[in-house]
Amino acid sequence: MNKNEQQFFAPGRVNLIGEHLDYNGGLVLPAALSIGIKASYRKRNDNRVLLSSSAHTLQKEIHLQDAYFFQPENDWCNYPIGIIEHLKKEGRQLSGGEIHYESNLPEGSGLSSSAAIEVLTAYLLLSQTESDIDRVWLANFCREVENEFIGVQCGIMDQYAVALGKRDCAILLDCDTLEHLYIPIVLEDYKLVLLNTNKPRSLIHSKYNERKRECDEALRIIRATQPSVANLCAASPYYLDLLQNETIRKRAKHVITENLRVKESVKALRLNDLSTFGRLMNVSHQSLKEDYEVTGLELDTLAETAQQTRGCLGARMTGAGFGGCAIAIVHKTAIEEFKNKVGEKYLSVTGLNCNIFASEIGDGVRKI
Ligand code: GLA
């Protein structure tokens, strides 16, 4: 490493349970991974920021005095450009620099590579002038960039997990109050296993936004008779009877029951009761398949085959769905057989090869 060079790292994340609850004011349980994106930074004495990545041929030179907008042809560079534009809007002083990204996080696989590059870029740039960056502020700021510059109406979970992750802990985040607790994840002879469908995700943003609208509609109807309900996750399951439209009722049923599953999961994890947690993961997947309808053949084949394979305590999709990754808790001595069995079944059903690998829970964004 050159002496003028600084290096930073931001992790990807998985969500252990509590899916599609962040934009409904509920509880989520994500964890940062040990894999992620590394950035090397070198300061320049002019007003230009050079962006490059070992994963892409596209490079960009940004002039800090110019204004930039989201442009599809800017591809991956839209993320750092969005961060730079919003930092300027905040009145932050930025200087020129060269940023080179290297990643071992599969892109577009539901492990939050976009939140990772956003949080990494903002942290790196702010570190040049600030020694104590407020990580909750950082998560909120990066979510705003994703919502306003990139145009994806995501909740706060991904940016929060990338900014505030802690080794060997999940983050129990209350998306209503934005308060969090760290829950130690003690897996002993088990491993957290990631299963990548390798399915290109199309239409994910429009379907994601559609689910958000359906949940807003469910809350609007419930509030017409129950005005004190703060958010959909806080609604009693009895209020589901107020929802006449079957699709809207199913969406709300997932949200309300999933929030209860997060509470049960935390109780189980605090007792190191991995079997109960595994069963809750399986029920969560079923609810995302049948009521929230965000899984699809690939995720269902992976999660359901995993659930039936020796040594696996539980499996579910993680993240937005519609492709991307599933996670499973698997006994360490059964992993090789698990990989073979699940991989073969997946190939025979979908014609695709999946990637299955054990991962560790790591820390949030940092200078290295
Ligand atoms: C995506 C979004 C998150 C969250 C999950 C679903 O990862 O970015 O905000 O809504 O989907 O739980």
Side-chain angles (χ1 to χ4, degrees):
M1 188 170 72
N2 180 305
K3 78 173 177 3
N4 295 320
E5 191 174 285
Q6 303 169 30
Q7 295 198 324
F8 296 83
F9 176 83
R13 70 94 190 87
V14 288
N15 188 18
L16 298 182
I17 197 160
E19 217 63 83
H20 287 276
L21 299 191
D22 56 354
Y23 54 86
N24 286 304
L27 299 171
V28 294
L29 196 63
L33 295 170
S34 51
I35 53 174
I37 310 180
K38 192 174 93 180
S40 313
Y41 177 76
R42 218 177 303 165
K43 204 173 159 155
R44 290 172 63 100
N45 292 324
D46 59 16
N47 250 349
R48 288 182 290 167
V49 179
L50 268 50
L51 302 169
S52 64
S53 157
S54 48
H56 299 268
T57 47
L58 178 73
Q59 306 190 353
K60 271 308 280 176
E61 183 176 293
I62 304 301
H63 295 250
L64 287 171
Q65 70 278 13
D66 295 342
Y68 293 84
F69 303 94
F70 178 88
Q71 284 188 309
E73 61 271 25
N74 283 347
D75 191 39
W76 70 274
C77 295
N78 278 303
Y79 295 103
I81 293 175
I83 294 293
I84 291 171
E85 283 305 305
H86 277 242
L87 284 174
K88 283 183 348 199
K89 243 174 55 187
E90 288 264 327
R92 307 282 177 146
Q93 278 307 315
L94 299 179
S95 57
E98 288 165 25
I99 313 177
H100 181 73
Y101 300 91
E102 263 173 78
S103 171
N104 57 6
L105 194 61
E107 272 179 34
S109 61
L111 301 178
S112 288
S113 55
S114 50
I117 192 170
E118 287 160 1
V119 173
L120 177 62
T121 309
Y123 187 86
L124 171 165
L125 292 171
L126 290 169
S127 295
Q128 304 311 311
T129 50
E130 287 176 37
S131 55
D132 194 16
I133 297 165
D134 178 340
R135 287 170 183 256
V136 175
W137 177 89
L138 180 69
N140 275 307
F141 171 79
C142 292
R143 180 207 180 176
E144 189 187 289
V145 172
E146 181 87 33
N147 290 171
E148 293 173 13
F149 191 89
I150 307 293
V152 179
Q153 296 311 309
C154 66
I156 185 72
M157 174 173 79
D158 303 347
Q159 290 79 10
Y160 205 99
V162 173
L164 285 109
K166 186 169 163 181
R167 193 178 166 168
D168 295 330
C169 288
I171 307 170
L172 174 62
L173 169 62
D174 181 330
C175 298
D176 191 30
T177 60
L178 286 193
E179 282 167 4
H180 74 269
L181 287 175
Y182 289 112
I183 309 291
I185 302 294
V186 185
L187 294 178
E188 287 172 350
D189 289 339
Y190 286 84
K191 287 273 179 199
L192 173 65
V193 171
L194 306 189
L195 304 94
N196 189 347
T197 59
N198 288 329
K199 181 199 174 192
R201 297 199 289 178
S202 56
L203 291 178
I204 173 178
H205 295 155
S206 62
K207 288 194 182 162
Y208 184 91
N209 291 345
E210 180 184 280
R211 292 297 177 278
K212 188 167 183 299
R213 276 197 303 278
E214 289 163 344
C215 291
D216 291 346
E217 176 65 359
L219 181 61
R220 191 188 61 75
I221 297 169
I222 291 174
R223 271 190 181 153
T225 50
Q226 304 293 333
S228 63
V229 173
N231 56 56
L232 193 55
C233 287
S236 150
Y238 296 113
Y239 299 159
L240 290 171
D241 290 344
L242 296 168
L243 304 168
Q244 309 286 312
N245 178 296
E246 201 200 333
T247 304
I248 301 289
R249 191 169 57 246
K250 284 188 348 186
R251 305 299 187 245
K253 181 175 161 220
H254 165 73
V255 168
I256 294 170
T257 57
E258 181 82 349
N259 203 49
L260 299 172
R261 282 187 287 275
V262 179
K263 293 183 185 166
E264 291 299 308
S265 298
V266 170
K267 269 193 221 156
L269 289 168
R270 283 193 162 129
L271 296 170
N272 283 350
D273 178 359
L274 287 181
S275 307
T276 299
F277 176 57
R279 281 195 292 277
L280 289 160
M281 290 173 79
N282 297 348
V283 183
S284 166
H285 185 86
Q286 201 183 359
S287 175
L288 287 154
K289 174 184 178 183
E290 287 166 9
D291 290 331
Y292 218 66
E293 298 179 279
V294 291
T295 56
L297 177 70
E298 293 79 5
L299 281 169
D300 290 338
T301 305
L302 276 187
E304 289 167 4
T305 311
Q307 289 165 9
Q308 289 151 19
T309 303
R310 195 179 69 86
C312 176
L313 293 180
R316 60 182 292 279
M317 58 153 270
T318 190
F322 311 108
C325 281
I327 53 171
I329 306 287
V330 184
H331 197 278
K332 63 183 185 198
T333 59
I335 291 183
E336 279 315 304
E337 185 190 333
F338 177 88
K339 277 189 192 171
N340 294 335
K341 291 217 160 132
V342 177
E344 275 165 27
K345 177 75 189 249
Y346 184 69
L347 179 62
S348 74
V349 174
T350 65
L352 292 172
N353 282 306
C354 58
N355 293 104
I356 302 182
F357 53 98
S359 184
E360 306 293 327
I361 298 180
D363 285 317
V365 67
R366 59 197 180 266
K367 190 169 183 184
I368 50 177

